Amino acid sequence: MGYIVSIKTAIFVFPVLAFLITVPYMIFNYRKYGSVNKLRTLILYSFILYLLTIYLLVILPLPNPESIRTTYTDMLNLIPFSFAMDFIKDSPFALSSPATWVMALKHPSFYVPAFNILMLIPFGIYLRYYFKCSFKKTMLLTALLSLFFELTQLSGLYFIYPGPYRLGDIDDVIQNTTGGCLGYVLGWFAVKLLPSREKIDEKALEAGSRVSEIRICLSLIIDTMIVYIPYMISKTTLPLFLFIALYFSLIPLFNGKTFGSALLKFGIEFENAKWIRTILRGILLTGYFYLIPLGLLYIMNEFNKYADSLLFICLFVTSALILLLYVIITVAVVLLNRRLLFDRLSGTGYKSTVLNE
């Protein structure tokens, strides 16, 4: 039952953790490869979910601090292979009696060590397949991870508790390390069946030679924050859209990049009339992402003031549907990697600089 609770907790916590790391993860990938590879993302995010799950399996369930009356020496076992003696002494297993074999599998003296081995098998697979670790390095990293778990337990969750609430056991390190080594062996199948790390990198660089709309939109979000934070600090009474329009119209004039696009390693290109088209793009971009939604929200708010009238209710609903349609079309265009309206009207092109730096 405790295992299930830990796994459920990991599933609930993971989306929050994924939300916090997604933007830094995307920035790193766009800077290194120019794209975010789907298979790499699946591998790394599943690895994070896996690590979160086994960590919660180690620390949960958390007891009441007042119930802890143990000392560090009471909850420490430094005698290796005690689990083997416990199995011989406590298990109902008898080689001459097949009826006891299934009973032995259900006994803690078997399933606890077995679970400790199974728990780190995926770790060994990940290390061999994606992180390209040798057998010795896999063994070392698995032992260190297991040691970290045991010290976490022995310290009473980093001394938050007055004493350890779980046993710090050298046998757990032995079992976990065995699992990691078995995972390394099983990782051979992953190496043979899945694309290699080099192939994933090659595809990512190939895709990164073209600047995707998601990459462009992420740079726009970064640029908007660069403008918005100083704007809020300055407490000026001038409208925000004026600063946004000036930023996107003037900054790219210097070298064809904003701070956001430079961070994600791509530039803006025009076939001709660079200055005029750059300024036009800044104005159109501001209108599309700022003035249109803000204007629709303002109109909806005005119509809502007269909600007792059927006409204004209809106008409110109509404006809300227009706003929803605007959002759906924008998201669809970005996900389908089509050029947004302001880029089409200004004749904007984009060039990735990942391979040039």
Side-chain angles (χ1 to χ4, degrees), residues 96-329:
S96 59
S97 177
T100 64
W101 295 357
V102 175
M103 295 172 57
L105 295 177
K106 298 179 180 180
H107 196 273
S109 63
F110 174 82
Y111 73 71
V112 171
F115 178 80
N116 285 334
I117 293 173
L118 291 172
M119 189 170 69
L120 270 293
I121 286 178
F123 189 68
I125 296 175
Y126 278 109
L127 291 185
R128 178 170 185 176
Y129 166 63
Y130 185 78
F131 297 101
K132 302 181 73 66
C133 293
S134 64
F135 180 79
K136 290 182 179 179
K137 192 172 183 179
T138 299
M139 181 185 295
L140 175 62
L141 291 176
T142 307
L144 290 175
L145 178 63
S146 179
L147 183 60
F148 166 72
F149 289 155
E150 296 309 305
L151 292 176
T152 297
Q153 295 175 331
L154 184 62
S155 65
L157 198 56
Y158 320 117
F159 306 103
I160 294 175
Y161 286 89
Y165 60 90
R166 285 192 179 181
L167 180 67
D169 196 342
I170 188 64
D171 280 344
D172 289 354
V173 177
I174 295 172
Q175 295 156 10
N176 291 159
T177 306
T178 301
C181 293
L182 287 174
Y184 179 88
V185 175
L186 294 174
W188 179 87
F189 295 97
V191 171
K192 293 297 181 182
L193 296 175
L194 297 175
S196 67
R197 173 79 175 269
E198 291 77 12
K199 183 64 69 173
I200 294 174
D201 291 348
E202 181 182 328
K203 288 186 176 181
L205 287 169
E206 181 183 350
S209 63
R210 302 178 299 274
V211 182
S212 67
E213 289 299 319
I214 295 178
R215 189 174 172 186
I216 295 168
C217 287
L218 179 58
S219 76
L220 295 178
I221 293 172
I222 294 170
D223 286 324
T224 302
M225 294 304 298
I226 290 173
V227 176
Y228 182 75
I229 293 174
Y231 174 82
M232 293 300 296
I233 294 175
S234 66
K235 297 181 179 180
T236 179
T237 57
L238 294 174
L240 175 61
F241 76 85
L242 179 62
F243 291 89
I244 294 176
L246 288 173
Y247 177 87
F248 284 107
S249 298
L250 301 181
I251 296 297
L253 292 176
F254 295 98
N255 62 356
K257 298 178 181 179
T258 62
F259 293 111
S261 66
L263 179 64
L264 301 186
K265 292 192 175 183
F266 71 89
I268 302 168
E269 290 185 326
F270 300 99
E271 292 185 1
N272 51 54
K274 171 186 172 182
W275 283 60
I276 295 175
R277 290 181 181 276
T278 300
I279 294 172
L280 176 63
R281 177 181 180 272
I283 295 172
L284 292 174
L285 186 155
T286 305
Y288 186 85
F289 279 119
Y290 188 86
L291 295 181
I292 289 178
L294 191 67
L296 288 171
L297 288 172
Y298 175 79
I299 291 172
M300 289 171 59
N301 183 61
E302 290 299 312
F303 289 154
N304 189 52
K305 293 179 180 178
Y306 307 97
D308 54 340
S309 168
L310 180 60
L311 173 62
F312 283 100
I313 291 176
C314 293
L315 291 173
F316 174 84
V317 172
T318 302
S319 56
L321 290 175
I322 293 173
L323 178 60
L324 178 62
L325 183 63
Y326 158 84
V327 173
I328 293 174
I329 291 175

Side-chain angles (χ1 to χ4, degrees), residues 22-41 44 130 199-216 218 263-266 337 352-355:
T22 291
V23 171
Y25 171 78
M26 292 177 69
I27 292 174
F28 173 82
N29 277 270
Y30 282 132
R31 285 187 59 80
K32 188 171 183 179
Y33 305 105
S35 67
V36 179
N37 184 272
K38 294 178 181 178
L39 179 57
R40 188 201 312 280
T41 301
L44 292 178
Y130 185 78
K199 183 64 69 173
I200 294 174
D201 291 348
E202 181 182 328
K203 288 186 176 181
L205 287 169
E206 181 183 350
S209 63
R210 302 178 299 274
V211 182
S212 67
E213 289 299 319
I214 295 178
R215 189 174 172 186
I216 295 168
L218 179 58
L263 179 64
L264 301 186
K265 292 192 175 183
F266 71 89
N337 204 25
S352 178
T353 60
V354 171
L355 298 178

